[in-house]
Each structure stands twice: as structure tokens, then as C-alpha cells.
Amino acid sequence: MTGNNQTPEAASENAGQVADAYRGNWVDRLAPSATRPYLRLARADRPIGTWLLLLPCWWGLMLAMVSDGRAGWHDLWIFAGCAIGAFLMRGAGCTWNDITDRHIDGSVARTASRPIPSGQVSVKAALIWLGAQALVAFGILLTFNPAAIALGVLSLLPVAVYPFAKRFTWWPQVFLGLAFNWGALLAWTAHTGRLEAPAVLLYLAGIAWTLFYDTIYAHQDAEDDALIGVKSTARLFGENSPRWLRWFLVAAVSIMAVAVILAVPDGRPLALLVALCGPWAMGWHLQWQMRQLKLDDTSRLLMLFRSNRDAGLLPVPFFAVALLL
């Protein structure tokens, strides 16, 4: 037995684990040991980020289909392609984030175990890994129409800027929202061939949602961030965070509702009613999070942050049913 009562096999499996990863995740259990640092760098052991990047894509695609009443085999590929692309681009974005934040991450308890600050992956190897993920994602993007391809290329701008935002603004969560919700614009355009107002409103609703969930997430690191001078909405709002979170909740739900109203064609009242249940259900989930919120309980903060996968999924089945009506 090892000193911490682990078997040698368990100690080997746990070597290099990241502090906030799910225990027993597939990377730690099943991935070949040589690949684990790179999969951890891409956050494959923490799937919540992929969900948060993917769900606005599905909102945009589903609501676009409701808007024009068309659904074809290519939409099934858009649905799946967005999922694969979200996994890859989330991994590439996180790799870029960890390259730029490698000195900061080493000073924060929750992030010091990440592959670059812990010495498991070199910066050069991380750059190669970033390029490989982005290249495969670009190949998927090329299967969409020209307008969607252009939007996909343009999305690299907010992705590139986000890691630096915490250095120059108290609102880095806005920049995260700009990057993470781009899929609402892209998926709508991949279906329709053009960018329209409901997609833009979905994008804005997603940004408000990101401000909600990432402020909760940032409260985990507020003390360490204060020591090293990193800015966040959690530090900016402090004990007033619940009041701000309620405003973000209202904004996300209200803006999404307006997007639905604009997207559903006239003469389909039942489809409109069902589609509006999507933002309503999401709002109830966010309100549940507010009732559970304890700013000084880091394990609860992480649980609430992860629960936003379920919150963001709630509109999808309602939009799907509305398409059939």
C-alpha cells in the first residue's frame, strides 16, 4: 500500500488528476496513460464545458427549423457535427486558455494540477495539440454552407481574446459568453443560410446565461484571484452576487422568449406556446439554482455550475415538439 492508503494501481491511475475533474471519469479509468495529459488539457475529463458550448448550437438549429418548418437529413448532420465540433473546439479553446494562463494557474489551488503548470505537458506540445484539434474542427465546419463557414472562422476572435480578459476587465465572463454562445449564430445560419434576428437574440440570451453560471463558477477562486490580481464578476459583485444573478436569470429567459416569439411563424399559436415553455422551464431551473446557492460552499458552487447542462438542455425538447406542431 502507498502512504495515502491507495494501491499502486490506484495511485498510478490517479497520477496527474486535475482537482476539479469528476472522480472515476473515463479519462482516468480508460484512456491510455500517454494520452491522459492531453485529454485533461482538452477538459475531456470535465464534460460540462462541452455541453455549455454545444447547447446554444442546438437552440439555434432547433429554433431555425421551427421558424421555416423545414427539417432534412443535413440538419441531422448539423446536429451531430455541432456536437463533435463543440468537443474539439472546447478542447482547443481550453488548451489555448491553459497556455496563456500557465503562470496564473500555478498560483491557484484548484488549477495548479492542470497539465501545463504541473509539468505534464510542455507549451510546445500543447500548441501542437491545439492545432490538431482546431484542424479537425475546421474540417467539420467545411461541410456547412459558406455563411456558416464564415461565422465559424470569425468565432476565433472571441476565443483568442477570452483568456486575456481577466487581466483588463472585471467582466471576463462577458468575453466567455461571446465565445461560448457563438454556436447559436452558426447553427441557425448552417440551417437557413443567413443570419437573422432570432439567432442574434438567442446569442444574447446565452451571454446572459453565461454571466449567470460563470459568476457562480468564479466564486470558487475568488480568494486566490484576489491574491494574484485576477479580475472576475465574482470579485466585482462579492456578497451582492445573488442580486446580479437574478438579473442575469431574468435577462436570459426574457431575451430567449423574444427570440422564440420572433422565430415562430404567425398562425401557429400552439407551436408558439410549446416553444415558449423552453425558456420558462430553463428559468425555473435557474431559480432552483438560486435557492441552492451558498457562496462560501465551493463543492456546492461546482455542483450548481455543472447543473447548467440540465438547465440549457430544457429548451431543446420543447423546440423539437414545436417543430412538429
Side-chain angles (χ1 to χ4, degrees):
M1 300 289 285
T2 60
N4 60 355
N5 295 323
Q6 289 183 317
T7 64
E9 292 81 5
S12 175
E13 179 182 287
N14 294 336
Q17 275 189 338
V18 177
D20 57 356
Y22 286 98
R23 291 298 170 257
N25 64 77
W26 74 272
V27 173
D28 295 339
R29 291 185 297 107
L30 303 175
S33 57
T35 68
R36 289 176 189 169
Y38 296 94
L39 291 170
R40 289 166 180 155
L41 189 59
R43 309 288 199 274
D45 54 345
R46 283 155 287 168
I48 179 59
T50 298
W51 280 108
L52 296 176
L53 186 62
L54 170 61
L55 290 170
C57 300
W58 283 356
W59 298 348
L61 174 61
M62 298 303 298
L63 201 57
M65 289 192 291
V66 172
S67 179
D68 64 15
R70 293 187 298 105
W73 287 110
H74 188 61
D75 295 306
L76 186 60
W77 165 242
I78 295 172
F79 190 88
C82 284
I84 301 168
F87 177 81
L88 292 166
M89 286 308 298
R90 189 264 183 136
C94 289
T95 302
W96 172 243
N97 183 80
D98 284 9
I99 290 170
T100 60
D101 280 359
R102 59 190 182 277
H103 302 301
I104 293 174
D105 285 346
S107 304
V108 177
R110 186 178 58 82
T111 57
S113 57
R114 289 179 176 174
I116 295 178
S118 65
Q120 298 174 63
V121 177
S122 69
V123 173
K124 180 179 179 180
L127 285 169
I128 295 171
W129 176 230
L130 181 153
Q133 294 172 92
L135 188 61
V136 177
F138 183 64
I140 293 172
L141 181 65
L142 290 177
T143 66
F144 296 164
N145 59 51
I149 293 171
L151 279 172
V153 173
L154 190 60
S155 72
L156 295 177
L157 180 60
V159 171
V161 171
Y162 165 67
F164 302 100
K166 65 178 72 71
R167 295 164 170 82
F168 63 79
T169 177
W170 287 100
W171 294 82
Q173 280 70 26
V174 171
F175 288 84
L176 180 66
L178 291 170
F180 257 57
N181 295 282
W182 199 271
L185 307 176
L186 193 152
W188 176 288
T189 305
H191 172 80
T192 64
R194 58 190 178 276
L195 184 59
E196 297 173 294
V200 175
L201 289 170
L202 276 181
Y203 182 55
L204 295 175
I207 293 171
W209 178 44
T210 302
L211 281 162
F212 180 92
Y213 66 66
D214 206 59
T215 297
I216 292 174
Y217 184 78
H219 267 284
Q220 297 176 93
D221 300 331
E223 292 184 6
D224 286 335
D225 287 348
L227 290 174
I228 60 179
V230 169
K231 299 177 173 67
S232 72
T233 50
R235 287 190 60 207
L236 178 64
F237 304 152
E239 293 301 317
N240 289 322
S241 287
R243 179 166 62 89
W244 283 92
L245 291 174
R246 289 188 186 94
W247 281 111
F248 298 145
L249 186 164
V250 170
V253 173
S254 300
I255 298 171
M256 184 183 288
V258 176
V260 169
I261 292 169
L262 292 180
V264 178
D266 294 338
R268 296 176 61 191
L270 186 56
L272 175 60
L273 179 61
V274 171
L276 282 172
C277 288
W280 177 83
M282 181 175 170
W284 273 107
H285 194 289
L286 299 184
Q287 183 58 38
W288 170 81
Q289 292 183 48
M290 291 297 305
R291 292 196 299 270
Q292 303 298 315
L293 184 66
K294 289 186 178 180
L295 296 179
D296 58 351
D297 185 341
T298 56
S299 61
R300 180 169 296 199
L301 291 170
L302 183 58
M303 180 273 292
L304 291 175
F305 168 72
R306 287 172 172 169
S307 77
N308 279 279
R309 179 203 64 178
D310 299 337
L313 269 171
L314 285 171
V316 175
F318 289 103
F319 294 168
V321 172
L323 176 62
L324 303 175
L325 299 175

